[in-house]
């Protein structure tokens, strides 16, 4: 028996690990993924940092309420989450979905962030824009500066809600970068995994209930966020994350004509099961 050690052993070990992970997704049904009726789709294994599947990654798309990930992150990183925000008429001149705030009401910034992410309330997102940026125009500048800073090279935001107003666009690749950036923040992660949140106006004691639109959180036990979106232009959109048995996966899905909750769950399970099976077979 020949014994190896030192650099030679390290080389064999590297080649073994490389071949293992190169074949890790050999049996993932790429053909079936390509048949899905979605405009764009990205699937990334956050454990191995590998993009498993990519469809129209660079296509310019309407991001809808996926935009609110950036809105929430700017508010979280600005700090002062316990400060009250005075609701003004400009903040509530928005279309549904809305929380229904009243002019003159005081709402905690942290509660606005949760309402923005969990229920996708547009008046909450607009309130964040005014509270953090002073007005929508300045906040959009902040959004675009942050986008460039984290490597979103083909994105332009015009508003904090995700309305199809002006030149408001992104790409699946950029939205994946945004999601990967956001999930590094524990406050963000704690918010996006919540099904429901109850809060009150500070000076009115009016009760607000923010219920998630993300049905994956209710139907799939391993789901841990992140955000849903919809406009007539964007169609049904979803950025979803799931963690199972030490595995971590992120999906970006744009303009899905198929049931996005079913599709996302099936993708997650296929990846998680395949990883386990491949690792067991390799041992």
């Amino acid at each position: 028996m020949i014994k190896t050690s030192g650099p030679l052993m390290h080389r064999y070990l590297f080649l073994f690990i490389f071949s293992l992970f190169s074949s890790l997704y050999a049996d993932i049904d790429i053909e079936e993924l390509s048949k899905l009726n979605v405009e764009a789709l990205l699937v990334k294994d956050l454990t191995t940092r590998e993009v498993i599947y990519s469809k129209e990654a660079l296509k310019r798309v309407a991001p809808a309420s996926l935009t609110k990930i950036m809105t929430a992150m700017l508010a979280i990183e600005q700090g002062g989450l316990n400060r009250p925000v005075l609701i003004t008429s400009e903040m509530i001149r928005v279309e549904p979905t809305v929380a229904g705030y009243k002019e003159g009401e005081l709402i905690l910034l942290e509660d606005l962030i949760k309402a923005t992410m969990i229920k996708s309330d547009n008046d909450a997102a607009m309130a964040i824009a005014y509270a953090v940026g002073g007005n929508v125009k300045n906040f959009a500048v902040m959004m675009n500066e942050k986008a460039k800073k984290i490597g979103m090279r083909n994105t332009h935001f015009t508003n904090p809600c995700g309305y199809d107003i002006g030149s408001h666009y992104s790409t699946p690749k950029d939205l994946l970068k945004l999601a990967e950036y956001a999930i590094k923040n524990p406050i963000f992660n704690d918010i996006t995994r919540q099904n429901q949140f109850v809060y009150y106006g500070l000076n009115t004691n009016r009760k607000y209930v923010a219920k998630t639109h993300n049905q994956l959180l209710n139907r799939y036990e391993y789901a841990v966020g992140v955000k849903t979106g919809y406009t007539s232009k964007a169609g049904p959109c979803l950025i979803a994350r799931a963690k199972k048995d030490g595995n971590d996966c992120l999906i970006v899905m744009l303009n899905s004509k198929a049931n996005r909750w079913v599709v996302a769950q099936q993708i997650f399970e296929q990846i998680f099961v395949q990883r386990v099976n491949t690792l067991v077979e390799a041992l």
Side-chain angles (χ1 to χ4, degrees):
M1 181 177 178
I2 299 174
K3 295 183 179 180
T4 57
S5 61
L8 187 59
M9 174 60 79
H10 291 156
R11 182 170 179 270
Y12 284 140
L13 181 61
F14 170 78
L15 290 174
F16 170 75
I17 294 173
F18 178 79
S19 63
L20 173 62
F21 284 101
S22 295
S23 63
L24 196 57
Y25 304 102
D27 296 326
I28 294 294
D29 200 334
I30 301 299
E31 185 176 345
E32 285 302 311
L33 288 177
S34 66
K35 293 178 181 177
L36 291 174
N37 194 3
V38 297
E39 182 176 350
L41 177 66
L42 282 176
V43 182
K44 184 167 185 177
D45 186 331
L46 297 179
T47 307
T48 64
R49 311 302 302 169
E50 180 180 357
V51 175
I52 303 165
Y53 180 79
S54 176
K55 176 184 178 181
E56 299 287 4
L58 299 178
K59 184 174 184 177
R60 182 179 290 191
V61 294
S65 285
L66 303 182
T67 299
K68 293 186 174 87
I69 296 175
M70 177 63 81
T71 301
M73 285 305 299
L74 288 176
I76 290 170
E77 292 180 343
Q78 187 242 7
L81 302 190
N82 288 323
R83 71 181 177 96
V85 174
L86 178 65
I87 302 299
T88 65
S89 60
E90 293 84 0
M91 298 174 183
I92 56 179
R93 287 200 206 112
V94 292
E95 298 176 357
T97 303
V98 295
Y101 305 129
K102 301 298 182 182
E103 186 176 355
E105 199 164 15
L106 292 171
I107 307 291
L108 283 181
L109 178 59
E110 182 176 8
D111 293 342
L112 291 173
I113 297 170
K114 291 179 178 179
T116 296
M117 288 303 301
I118 298 171
K119 186 167 169 268
S120 203
D121 286 323
N122 290 315
D123 46 3
M126 196 64 72
I128 288 174
Y130 279 91
V132 175
N135 56 55
V136 172
K137 184 177 180 180
N138 288 343
F139 191 75
V141 170
M142 295 172 64
M143 296 173 76
N144 291 318
E145 288 176 348
K146 187 67 176 183
K148 290 180 181 179
K149 187 174 182 179
I150 64 177
M152 299 174 71
R153 305 301 180 194
N154 297 291
T155 293
H156 186 264
F157 296 119
T158 64
N159 66 92
C161 302
Y163 292 134
D164 299 321
I165 298 174
S167 188
H168 189 90
Y169 63 86
S170 188
T171 67
K173 183 178 180 180
D174 276 5
L175 291 170
L176 180 66
K177 289 182 179 180
L178 176 59
E180 287 190 272
Y181 176 79
I183 62 176
K184 293 176 183 177
N185 187 291
I187 296 175
F188 179 88
N189 287 333
D190 180 65
I191 292 172
T192 61
R193 68 175 65 222
Q194 295 182 43
N195 286 306
Q196 181 173 301
F197 174 69
V198 178
Y199 61 107
Y200 297 84
L202 296 178
N203 58 339
T204 61
N205 206 37
R206 293 182 73 223
K207 181 180 179 179
Y208 295 98
V209 180
K211 294 183 179 180
T212 186
H213 294 284
N214 189 350
Q215 295 181 29
L216 203 59
L217 292 176
N218 296 316
R219 65 183 295 155
Y220 187 51
E221 62 181 313
Y222 303 108
V224 292
V226 176
K227 187 74 186 72
T228 64
Y230 175 83
T231 65
S232 57
K233 180 179 179 179
C237 304
L238 176 67
I239 297 181
R241 183 188 185 194
K243 300 175 74 174
K244 181 181 180 182
D245 300 329
N247 301 311
D248 196 348
C249 186
L250 195 61
I251 296 172
V252 177
M253 189 186 309
L254 282 304
N255 194 15
S256 175
K257 302 298 191 299
N259 186 309
R260 49 186 158 164
W261 323 116
V262 172
V263 169
Q265 183 174 342
Q266 289 175 344
I267 292 173
F268 283 135
E269 277 303 294
Q270 187 180 9
I271 291 166
F272 293 152
V273 170
Q274 180 58 35
R275 284 206 66 197
V276 171
N277 290 344
T278 305
L279 288 170
V280 169
E281 291 170 3
L283 295 177

